[in-house]
Amino acid sequence: MRITLLLGTLLTVMLAPAFLQTAAGQAAKAQSTAPFDPHDISGVWYRTSPIQTFSNVYNVQPDLPPNLAGARGRGQVFAEAPFTPAGRAALEKNKPGYGPRVVPPAFGNDPMGTCDPLGIPRNLNAEVGSSHTTWQIVMTADRMFQYFQWHHDYRVVWTDGRSLPKTDDLDALWNGYSVGHWEGNTFVVDSIGFNPKTWLDKFGYPHTENMKLQERYRRLDHDTLELTMTLTDPEYYTKPWESDRKLFKLNGSPIREFPVGEPFIKNWDQQVYCVPSEEYHFNQGVRDSGAGKNSVR
Amino acid sequence: MSAERICFLPLGLALLVTALPIAAHHGSNPNYAWDRTITVNGVVTEFQFVYPHVSIYFDVKDDKGNLQHWSSELGPTPIMMRNYGVGWSKNAIKPGDQIVLTCNPTKIPSNVCQGKKILVNGKNMPLQDPKGAAGEDGQAKQ
């Protein structure tokens, strides 16, 4: 009797997630048929594609030892970017806390570790998990606003028909200078004028101030937004480098609520600033102490 | 570090509590030995309930009676701010509180660890969502 009860409980625990996923999937499928305007990509979108780097491309034949993979990226190896020698040299100067080239952040130089702005395209990766995998799009008559939960940052994409200025006319901007237009049902954003202090992603991929970036947004159904990006930066990359296909779900979609049973929207606008003074305190007291850089005060 | 105050849990329990690592957004993942768990008793000196890291500072007596300063990252802030219905807030822990902290130690010897479970004055304060919610990839993280 006791064994039967135990087995029953075990089976229930094992099968419950599958049941919940099926139920969520059916609900999502039902909602995905809801009507939508393909030229309206407004909404709070949360990332569902994994890994959170610019390219997210797996190498077919992994050739890096496991100890070079990050704590969370263990066993995941990525295809390399089409670097120029200068690009590879720039990559080597960047010491990330994630990925195949992970170092303890105490000895790294990820701009995030000092609360520097992530910039574009890194903000678009929605790399910071939990409630801040989201960004919000608001479209007005002459511009698109994109709000990022991390650092409570935002960028403007002009849609009033203006052309991009000359790069030489721009000072380096953390989020670049962006204009957008529609090509069929695809919203195309072209940007220049980026600050080279930012990384493309948390793996430390670099860019110059002459990088040109094109983002292509397409609403696949009521609940799903697709983003692909292509950067052109001849000094660091021998050819245009395409991102992987990033997918986002509309907030409130039943596919993934967080936590279970509570709509994601309740977690919106937590004003997640990275405060330099608090970050410094944490780095001194926890991050660096744990890496042997100093003692806990 | 006090051998009396730090004990290694049985392997099975350690594996259980480390099944869902809570990883800091950019904090110090590479620092920790995720496959090991220790338990530390201490007295709180400071509690930081802020983004992006919730951290706690506390003193632990070593086997000679000397105070050792310790620190630990706790759960992802946005998840803890949902408070799990157990009252997580900036006032949840105060200097002078007694804690029993189960945590992942660092790979190198240090007085820092990643919190997994905490008793505050004998009361269990969950560091993971009791509903089992997790971030993408099956991990709760920030």
Side-chain angles (χ1 to χ4, degrees):
Chain A
M1 178 66 182
R2 184 174 293 176
I3 291 176
T4 304
L5 187 62
L6 183 62
L7 284 174
T9 304
L10 192 60
L11 274 173
T12 301
V13 170
M14 291 173 65
L15 293 176
F19 171 78
L20 290 174
Q21 284 180 357
T22 303
Q26 288 173 345
K29 190 176 181 180
Q31 184 161 342
S32 69
T33 61
F36 67 99
D37 178 358
H39 282 206
D40 180 8
I41 56 174
S42 300
V44 178
W45 299 94
Y46 63 90
R47 174 180 52 76
T48 56
S49 43
I51 311 301
Q52 319 125 30
T53 67
F54 177 80
S55 69
N56 279 348
V57 179
Y58 288 85
N59 198 336
V60 177
Q61 293 182 325
D63 55 5
L64 291 176
N67 64 328
L68 291 182
R72 291 218 305 273
R74 189 173 290 117
Q76 297 165 343
V77 184
F78 300 85
E80 196 50 285
F83 281 123
T84 64
R88 180 167 292 284
L91 173 75
E92 295 302 327
K93 289 180 182 175
N94 294 343
K95 307 295 183 188
Y98 295 94
R101 301 169 51 256
V102 62
V103 300
F107 304 106
N109 56 8
D110 187 338
M112 182 184 251
T114 46
C115 293
D116 287 356
L118 296 187
I120 299 294
R122 191 170 175 182
N123 263 325
L124 300 171
N125 298 336
E127 71 180 65
V128 185
S130 187
S131 62
H132 0 304
T133 56
T134 53
W135 32 250
Q136 182 174 15
I137 290 175
V138 175
M139 305 192 80
T140 68
D142 62 355
R143 72 198 79 174
M144 177 186 95
F145 293 100
Q146 207 163 16
Y147 297 91
F148 307 102
Q149 187 61 274
W150 177 251
H151 226 317
H152 228 233
D153 196 3
Y154 80 99
R155 55 97 67 111
V156 176
V157 177
W158 295 98
T159 57
D160 56 0
R162 72 180 66 186
S163 302
L164 285 172
K166 294 178 182 176
T167 303
D168 291 345
D169 294 337
L170 293 172
D171 291 326
L173 300 167
W174 292 106
N175 287 331
Y177 188 106
S178 304
V179 297
H181 68 280
W182 286 96
E183 290 181 4
N185 289 338
T186 301
F187 186 63
V188 181
V189 178
D190 290 295
S191 305
I192 59 170
F194 295 103
N195 190 325
K197 290 181 180 177
T198 64
W199 294 1
L200 297 181
D201 55 37
K202 65 182 183 180
F203 282 9
Y205 283 85
H207 66 84
T208 73
E209 62 184 356
N210 294 316
M211 174 178 71
K212 296 177 180 176
L213 182 74
Q214 184 172 87
E215 302 150 56
R216 301 181 72 86
Y217 296 85
R218 197 159 57 104
R219 193 165 184 168
L220 303 181
D221 58 38
H222 181 274
D223 293 338
T224 310
L225 184 67
E226 174 195 78
L227 166 63
T228 56
M229 296 179 277
T230 303
L231 71 81
T232 305
D233 195 354
E235 188 179 338
Y236 281 1
Y237 300 95
T238 59
K239 60 182 181 181
W241 189 26
E242 294 184 14
S243 76
D244 66 323
R245 179 173 178 253
K246 301 183 185 302
L247 294 175
F248 295 79
K249 288 294 179 183
L250 186 64
N251 195 8
S253 160
I255 280 185
R256 174 171 166 247
E257 294 178 342
F258 184 88
V260 173
E262 291 187 63
F264 207 96
I265 191 73
K266 290 181 180 176
N267 238 0
W268 180 246
D269 197 21
Q270 291 187 312
Q271 302 195 22
V272 185
Y273 290 95
C274 188
V275 180
S277 60
E278 293 174 351
E279 189 72 1
Y280 178 79
H281 186 74
F282 171 82
N283 288 346
Q284 286 283 307
V286 180
R287 189 192 75 172
D288 295 354
S289 305
K293 196 171 182 178
N294 54 257
S295 301
V296 179
R297 39 198 170 71
Chain B
M1 185 181 299
S2 165
E4 292 176 356
R5 305 241 171 208
I6 300 174
C7 61
F8 289 89
L9 296 177
L11 180 60
L13 180 56
L15 289 174
L16 183 64
V17 298
T18 56
L20 280 176
I22 296 177
H25 77 287
H26 66 287
S28 35
N29 290 353
N31 288 356
Y32 299 110
W34 298 100
D35 58 344
R36 287 193 285 134
T37 306
I38 60 175
T39 297
V40 193
N41 298 319
V43 178
V44 175
T45 57
E46 182 182 349
F47 178 53
Q48 290 280 328
F49 196 67
V50 298
Y51 280 117
H53 316 273
V54 175
S55 54
I56 188 170
Y57 300 83
F58 53 101
D59 286 339
V60 177
K61 277 187 181 177
D62 64 18
D63 49 10
K64 295 179 181 175
N66 299 317
L67 286 181
Q68 297 281 342
H69 301 309
W70 276 72
S71 67
S72 178
E73 295 179 63
L74 300 183
T77 313
I79 298 178
M80 292 185 68
M81 286 202 172
R82 308 187 75 87
N83 86 37
Y84 300 162
V86 298
W88 275 120
S89 73
K90 64 181 181 182
N91 298 317
I93 300 178
K94 300 179 180 64
D97 284 346
Q98 296 275 344
I99 61 167
V100 179
L101 180 67
T102 302
C103 53
N104 299 121
T106 52
K107 293 173 183 172
I108 64 169
S110 81
N111 290 354
V112 179
C113 64
Q114 167 78 47
K116 307 300 296 182
K117 179 181 179 182
I118 188 168
L119 300 178
V120 181
N121 298 325
K123 178 185 177 185
N124 181 32
M125 300 286 284
L127 295 175
Q128 295 185 4
D129 194 318
K131 295 177 181 176
E136 71 283 1
D137 307 329
Q139 294 180 347
K141 53 197 173 188
Q142 55 176 325

